[in-house]
Amino acid sequence: MEGGEVLGSADNGSSGESGRPPNPLAAAYRSCLSADRLPMPCKKSLVRHPSLVKIKTSEISVDAELVIHDDETEFVPIVRSGAWTDIGVRSYMEDVYVCLDNFMRDYENKSIIDRPSAFYGIFDGHGGKHAADFACYHLPRFIVEDEDFPRQIERVLVSAFLQTDTAFAEACSLDAALASGTTALVAVVLGRLLVVANAGDCRAVLCRRGKAVEMSRDHKPICSKERKRIEASGGSVSDGYLNGQLNVARALGDWHMEGMKGADGGPLSAEPEVMTKELTEEDEFMIIGCDGIWDVFRSQNAVDFARRRLQEHNDPVMCSKDLVEEALKRKSCDNLSVVVVCFQSQSPTILVAPRSRVQRSFSAEGLRELQSFLDSLNS
């Protein structure tokens, strides 16, 4: 199977070796939305929909620029990926993912030569799959067509999210049957730079020599930062739900839901948070998962589990399948989607904890999971 296809629970085992996601407009959407109705790719300025004008722009590093290093002694990741999905206990599959190990080649962009360029994303739909399908196709296109890509990658990612949201609003205005929403998390690898943009409750976790490094923050209405933004935008949080309707504070789409988005602003934001890391020899792999995975896995627990599996078979597709099957065993009650991205050709090394004079009953993995739990209490 070619990587980068939009997959559900029936088709599985995708790797990211070739191919871009299919155009959802090719069939059901073509009658309601044509290319000339879509907004043009952004140029120099960051495009924001009027519903997002209340968000502080100072929180976004829009001036960060990509720097490609030429030192041959520097670490260069060897990128390979795999993905797996399962419908779980739900009646419908609303998750969509994309794996592109060679982003520039698949979109015929020659900005980076002889350096890794990859794109990965998970889109967790709600109220239908239309928004997730739409974002999976259009968001990477808005990225590569921006004249500032890849030099100002953070600015480009934020703008691509907002353009996708605006384009879907136009699509819904032409066909009300498309009304739906989706969370979105995308990860871009450019050389040894890893950039993750997230809007919603999907999560990306980097494994740095066995330690979980969270590359995104879950956008739940109950989070203090999100609650303040919601209330400042005229919304409310009731029993953990935004305006008593959504259990996420950021998402694409949902234009049909009263009081969420509009020309005068709204509490539901499509603007992503962006995190950036420079990859090193210690970075082994990354897990991207929908919230159904993180309902039953802590970040460190998932890293420990995936690391053991990769030590056994060194196959990111099989590792993704292992994570999904383990989540099912742990009684996750949602659709399940996982993308595993490896940054090394070899499997993770076996870590040996330094011997201590004091005898202890905890394993190294147990100690890391306990530390992760304690850290979560502090945050």
Side-chain angles (χ1 to χ4, degrees), residues 63-126:
D63 294 326
E65 294 191 3
L66 173 68
V67 178
I68 301 295
H69 300 278
D70 295 325
D71 188 349
E72 295 181 358
T73 64
E74 290 179 344
F75 170 72
V76 177
I78 300 174
V79 181
R80 53 198 178 92
S81 66
W84 202 268
T85 67
D86 195 285
I87 194 172
V89 299
R90 296 294 181 91
S91 300
Y92 303 98
M93 184 62 177
E94 296 178 323
D95 288 359
V96 181
Y97 71 82
V98 57
C99 296
L100 298 172
D101 288 345
N102 199 326
F103 187 33
M104 299 297 196
R105 181 196 64 194
D106 293 332
Y107 281 84
E108 300 177 354
N109 188 305
K110 299 180 180 179
S111 299
I112 294 182
I113 301 175
D114 298 329
R115 288 278 178 165
S117 64
F119 178 91
Y120 308 100
I122 285 185
F123 306 88
D124 186 349
H126 48 262

Side-chain angles (χ1 to χ4, degrees), residues 155-363:
R155 175 197 294 273
V156 169
L157 285 175
V158 173
S159 185
F161 269 68
L162 302 184
Q163 288 185 90
T164 301
D165 192 44
T166 302
F168 188 65
E170 174 70 10
C172 292
S173 70
L174 298 171
D175 185 353
L178 300 180
S180 56
T182 185
T183 62
L185 186 147
V186 303
V188 179
V189 179
L190 298 170
R192 54 195 180 95
L193 187 71
L194 171 64
V195 188
V196 174
N198 177 53
D201 55 5
C202 295
R203 190 186 305 171
V205 181
L206 177 67
C207 174
R208 176 163 283 180
R209 194 169 171 77
K211 182 179 180 181
V213 179
E214 293 186 347
M215 292 296 298
S216 64
R217 183 176 67 91
D218 299 349
H219 296 137
K220 295 292 191 181
I222 59 174
C223 296
S224 58
K225 182 178 180 181
E226 294 301 312
R227 181 190 287 268
K228 290 178 182 178
R229 182 188 57 76
I230 289 168
E231 293 174 348
S233 300
S236 63
V237 178
S238 176
D239 293 328
Y241 285 78
L242 171 56
N243 286 0
Q245 302 174 77
L246 280 179
N247 67 343
V248 292
R250 304 193 190 199
L252 307 182
D254 294 314
W255 291 93
H256 62 292
M257 301 183 73
E258 186 176 354
M260 292 292 185
K261 294 179 180 179
D264 297 328
L268 182 63
S269 172
E271 185 163 316
E273 282 190 316
V274 181
M275 295 189 185
T276 303
K277 289 281 185 187
E278 189 172 275
L279 297 172
T280 71
E281 295 89 344
E282 294 189 337
D283 295 313
E284 299 169 332
F285 61 89
M286 176 176 60
I287 303 170
I288 304 173
C290 65
D291 64 319
I293 295 295
W294 307 113
D295 287 342
V296 294
F297 276 103
R298 291 189 179 276
S299 296
Q300 186 63 57
N301 180 220
V303 163
D304 292 338
F305 180 89
R307 202 169 188 275
R308 289 194 298 269
R309 293 300 186 268
L310 288 172
Q311 286 172 345
E312 294 173 5
H313 50 59
N314 198 24
D315 185 341
V317 175
M318 290 301 298
C319 184
S320 300
K321 181 181 179 183
D322 293 338
L323 282 162
V324 168
E325 290 181 346
E326 181 65 19
L328 290 170
K329 292 177 183 177
R330 298 185 184 192
K331 308 299 183 183
S332 179
C333 297
D334 203 348
N335 295 153
L336 298 167
S337 296
V338 173
V339 174
V340 173
V341 184
C342 294
F343 302 116
Q344 315 263 0
S345 59
Q346 68 272 22
S347 61
T349 58
I350 297 176
L351 299 177
V352 179
R355 299 192 63 173
S356 173
R357 294 181 180 179
V358 179
Q359 189 175 5
R360 62 187 183 190
S361 57
F362 279 102
S363 66

Side-chain angles (χ1 to χ4, degrees), residues 45-75:
S45 61
L46 176 63
V47 179
R48 280 188 169 79
H49 190 274
S51 66
L52 300 169
V53 295
K54 293 184 179 181
I55 298 176
K56 295 181 180 179
T57 60
S58 59
E59 297 177 358
I60 303 171
S61 303
V62 296
D63 294 326
E65 294 191 3
L66 173 68
V67 178
I68 301 295
H69 300 278
D70 295 325
D71 188 349
E72 295 181 358
T73 64
E74 290 179 344
F75 170 72

